[in-house]
Amino acid sequence: MKPRVLLVLWLGLLSATGAKADGTTGSQAFSTSRIAQTAGQYGQYIGSNVRGMDPLGFSGGNVGYKNTGSGNIGAFNSGSGNVGAFNGNENTSPTSGNHNIGAFNGNGNTGEYDGNTNVGAFNGNFNGGSFNGNGNAGAFNGNFNGRGNR
């Protein structure tokens, strides 16, 4: 077959598929108004969820989401004076799990004065005695101590 004939056939096929695609996509699949409508619906759903969570709510001196105790900033903090997330939870003494900055500090202590004033992550957790897991900076410090260490 001559090159000119192949070129004409190729151009004809290309223009036929192009015309079909333009006719379909322009009116249905990629309608700008439809995209705007869908985006607006998702925006309403997200806004409703955020309002329901009350992410910047103030309750009992706390700022954030699902904080208990007092003076906590962030999310899921208990005790007092914690900043971050998941600090000061599940302690048997109110003197434990206070004044931590970071995440997962001062949790699960059964003694007194455990898991306080830690900075970082996973500090001062699961101590059984008194005065354990305090004043740590970094990660994975002062955990799983069984007796009172001053």
Side-chain angles (χ1 to χ4, degrees):
M1 211 176 257
K2 292 185 178 183
R4 287 184 186 169
V5 174
L6 287 174
L7 179 62
V8 169
L9 287 173
W10 182 76
L11 287 174
L13 180 63
L14 182 63
S15 63
T17 56
K20 184 177 180 186
D22 288 343
T24 303
T25 58
S27 62
Q28 294 173 3
F30 296 106
S31 170
T32 312
S33 62
R34 182 67 182 140
I35 291 172
Q37 181 183 1
T38 303
Q41 287 176 344
Y42 282 120
Q44 289 175 352
Y45 298 151
I46 293 168
S48 175
N49 289 336
V50 169
R51 285 190 300 274
M53 290 190 309
D54 192 18
L56 296 176
F58 295 87
S59 174
N62 298 305
V63 179
Y65 180 59
K66 297 287 186 186
N67 293 312
T68 61
S70 63
N72 298 300
I73 300 172
F76 302 101
N77 296 305
S78 188
S80 64
N82 295 298
V83 178
F86 301 101
N87 297 306
N89 297 301
E90 302 297 328
N91 296 303
T92 58
S93 171
T95 59
S96 295
N98 301 311
H99 310 293
N100 296 293
I101 300 173
F104 300 100
N105 296 309
N107 300 303
N109 297 298
T110 58
E112 295 181 346
Y113 303 102
D114 290 330
N116 297 314
T117 63
N118 296 294
V119 178
F122 301 100
N123 297 308
N125 300 305
F126 306 107
N127 295 297
S130 298
F131 300 98
N132 290 307
N134 298 313
N136 297 294
F140 300 101
N141 298 304
N143 301 309
F144 300 103
N145 294 299
R147 295 182 182 256
N149 302 317
R150 290 184 186 257

